[in-house]
Structures are given as structure tokens and as C-alpha cells.
Amino acid sequence: MTYQTLNSPSASPTGRGDAAPGVFSLNRRTKLARYVVSRYGLVVAFLVLWQVASTRGWVSPAVFPPIDRIVGALWQGLVGGALWADIGISLQRSGIAFAAAVGLGIPLGLFMGQIAAVERALDPILQFFRQTSALALYPVFILVLGLGEASKVFVIFWATLFPILLATIGGVKEVDRKLIEMAATFGASRLTTFRRVVLPASVPSIFVGLRLSATTALLLLIAAEMIGARSGLGFQVMNAQYNFQIPKMFAAILLLALLGLAVNGILVALQQRLCRWAEPAR
């Protein structure tokens, strides 16, 4: 064996040049399998237990139908096109309310977080309305706005506004004062300090409020569409329950959960893109 052979990249103590890549690939697959099991193992176990319990009669199949029947009802509703109109209407209602809450909550939160006098003046009424359930106020919204789209959108807007507003205020107030003082020392104006220091430091907290509000929007959407609605996923849940079409009811609930996960995933990805310097979102 020559010196060049001993120093060849393909040489190994066992004489097989492909051993290291094979071991590396095996380690990657093992780590991936462990990650999947640790993160989704309980979910898979729960679904398997549901399927087995319903199939074998441990629970009533009429109340808790097997998972395959629920997935089949969801697939049939999507392929047949029966659910797409309801998905569009529900996303429109929650999307308009969420966008309005973002458009009002973030600027107002930044303003209140920067000016202590404004926060002191508005905080009592803010806390009062925050502690009042949006569902408790829904009959008032119906009396004022009627049973149409306006009352449904407004009740979702009301519930989603406060998480965004409070998270934005908290994010501004938690900015390190030393950073603000340092910017002032270097001659930065208040506008520059706000744009370069306060706003970037507040973004992680703002995204926490956005994720909470997105979840709240979907929760209130169901309640809003259960009263006086003729369309939407919430209406489909109630309609299926009234007609005892339990697989369709669970299919609509599953679809709402999947939409919530999708929206949360989009917000997490956007947060990671905008806040690469911060802790990773979970």
C-alpha cells in the first residue's frame, strides 16, 4: 500500500470507502425518527386509541365515530366542493376582523406604550372592556348591527383587538431603556429611535399577540356563525349536529383546527423571518 493510498479520501480503516456516509445517513434518519416520535407521538397514539375504541365499541360510534369515517366525510366535502364556499365565507369574516384588529391594535399599542399619560388615561376603560366577554356583548352587537355580517365581524374584531393591543403595549414597555439612552447619546431623534430601536425590539411581543388573536378569531368565528348564520364552518358544525350527521360535524371541527394550525404556522414563519436575531418561535 502506497502513501497516496493511505491518504486517499475514500480510504477507511475497514477498507470500505462508503461506510462513513452510510453511518451518517443512518444517524440522520434516527434523529429524524426520534424527533417525529417525541413531537407527534402522543397525537398519533390519541388518534389510534380513538379509532380502536370507536371500532371495537369501547365508546359509542354514534357519538365518537371512527377517525377514518371523519376523514372520509372531510374528504368527501372537499372533493365534492360542498365545504369550499363555507371555508371562503369563514375566512372572509375572520380575515376582515383580524385585519381591522391589527390595523387599530398595533398603532394604538405603539402610541400608548410610548406615551405614559395616554396609557394612564386609557388603561382603566381598556381593562374594563377587556374583562367583558365578547360573547356576552354579542346580543348587544346584534341589537345595534343586526343579524347580518356586520355583527359577526364586529364580535370577532372585539375579541381579537385586545390580545394585539396589550401585547404591543407590553412589547414597547419592555424595550431595554439603555438602548434608547444609547441612541439618544449618539444624537438620534425620537422618530429614529422609535424606528430603529423601539419598533424592532417590540416585534416579537407583537407576534405573540398576533398568534393569540388569530386563535381567538377562529374561536369566536364558530360562536358567531352558530347564531343567525346560514353559511360558514361554524354553521356546518351546528347544522350537522342538529341533523345528527356526527362525522360531518367532526369533519368541520377538524377543518377548523387545520386552518388554525395553518394560520399559526404562517405567523411563526413570518416571525422567524423578521426576527432572526430573537429566540425561535414555538
Side-chain angles (χ1 to χ4, degrees):
M1 183 178 293
T2 64
Y3 178 79
Q4 289 82 358
T5 306
L6 288 173
N7 286 274
S8 174
S10 60
S12 65
T14 58
R16 297 186 341 210
D18 59 344
V23 173
F24 179 73
S25 178
L26 179 61
N27 289 337
R28 289 189 62 182
R29 288 196 296 267
T30 303
K31 290 181 180 180
L32 179 60
R34 288 178 179 175
Y35 173 79
V36 171
V37 171
S38 63
R39 187 166 180 83
Y40 304 106
L42 287 177
V43 176
V44 174
F46 172 75
L47 295 177
V48 170
L49 178 61
W50 185 329
Q51 176 72 21
V52 172
S54 180
T55 303
R56 299 198 174 185
W58 298 346
V59 295
S60 174
V63 178
F64 296 100
I67 296 295
D68 57 345
R69 289 183 58 193
I70 297 174
V71 174
L74 177 59
W75 177 258
Q76 182 179 359
L78 293 175
V79 173
L83 288 176
W84 288 111
D86 295 297
I87 293 174
I89 292 173
S90 294
L91 289 179
Q92 179 181 353
R93 289 167 177 162
S94 57
I96 292 173
F98 181 73
V102 171
L104 177 62
I106 292 180
L108 182 59
L110 293 172
F111 184 68
M112 292 177 63
Q114 284 280 95
I115 303 177
V118 176
E119 184 191 2
R120 283 195 302 269
L122 295 180
D123 186 68
I125 190 170
L126 171 64
Q127 296 298 330
F128 175 79
F129 283 121
R130 184 175 74 90
Q131 301 299 332
T132 306
S133 171
L135 292 178
L137 292 174
Y138 192 27
V140 179
F141 299 152
I142 292 176
L143 287 175
V144 175
L145 302 173
L147 276 171
E149 294 296 309
S151 61
K152 295 176 179 57
V153 172
F154 195 80
V155 71
I156 300 171
F157 160 78
W158 185 269
T160 55
L161 173 63
F162 296 106
I164 297 176
L165 179 59
L166 295 175
T168 305
I169 295 173
V172 173
K173 294 176 68 175
E174 290 174 2
V175 176
D176 192 348
R177 307 306 300 180
K178 294 181 180 179
L179 296 177
I180 299 177
E181 294 172 0
M182 185 181 299
T185 301
F186 282 99
S189 64
R190 293 192 63 179
L191 179 60
T192 303
T193 302
F194 171 78
R195 188 164 50 90
R196 295 295 182 88
V197 178
V198 176
L199 184 58
S202 305
V203 169
S205 296
I206 292 174
F207 267 97
V208 172
L210 290 175
R211 292 170 63 186
L212 290 173
S213 292
T215 302
T216 304
L218 290 175
L219 293 176
L220 266 293
L221 172 70
I222 302 172
E225 290 181 342
M226 286 181 177
I227 302 175
R230 296 294 179 184
S231 58
L233 293 176
F235 167 76
Q236 291 298 334
V237 172
M238 290 300 298
N239 186 56
Q241 190 266 336
Y242 286 147
N243 295 294
F244 210 70
Q245 297 173 327
I246 306 303
K248 290 185 177 180
M249 181 188 76
F250 277 107
I253 294 173
L254 176 61
L255 185 55
L256 283 166
L258 294 176
L259 289 175
L261 289 174
V263 172
N264 183 74
I266 292 172
L267 290 175
V268 168
L270 184 59
Q271 179 181 358
Q272 291 175 345
R273 184 176 181 84
L274 296 177
C275 309
R276 297 177 182 176
W277 45 268
E279 291 293 330
R282 294 176 179 241

